[in-house]
Amino acid sequence: MRKTYAYNGIILGFVLGLAAWAYTENTAIGIAAGIASAIIIFIIIRSIENGIYKAGDAITRRLDDMHTKK
């Protein structure tokens, strides 16, 4: 199982929710911004990680193929 940093998106979402609440002084906007940003940031980080892992796997396969052909 791979280590993921996507759960840090929840913390960043919480911070953005606090910032939205502090700026607008509206609790509903703060909560909505916190939840929405946490979900969006989680998805973004996870997709970046998946892309990196796929690229690493492709590089590994290519290097293995090159070494077996020698």
Side-chain angles (χ1 to χ4, degrees):
M1 181 140 181
R2 300 179 302 211
K3 183 176 181 179
T4 182
Y5 294 97
Y7 296 111
N8 293 333
I10 296 170
I11 296 168
L12 291 174
F14 178 72
V15 170
L16 289 174
L18 280 174
W21 171 75
Y23 183 73
T24 62
E25 295 182 5
N26 188 340
T27 305
I29 291 176
I31 292 172
I35 292 172
S37 61
I39 292 170
I40 291 169
I41 293 170
F42 182 91
I43 291 170
I44 290 171
I45 293 173
R46 193 69 183 150
S47 64
I48 290 170
E49 287 177 344
N50 286 337
I52 291 170
Y53 291 132
K54 285 181 183 178
D57 290 342
I59 291 169
T60 302
R61 268 187 264 115
R62 177 71 176 143
L63 290 173
D64 288 343
D65 289 344
M66 287 176 54
H67 285 111
T68 57
K69 289 181 181 179
K70 285 186 175 182

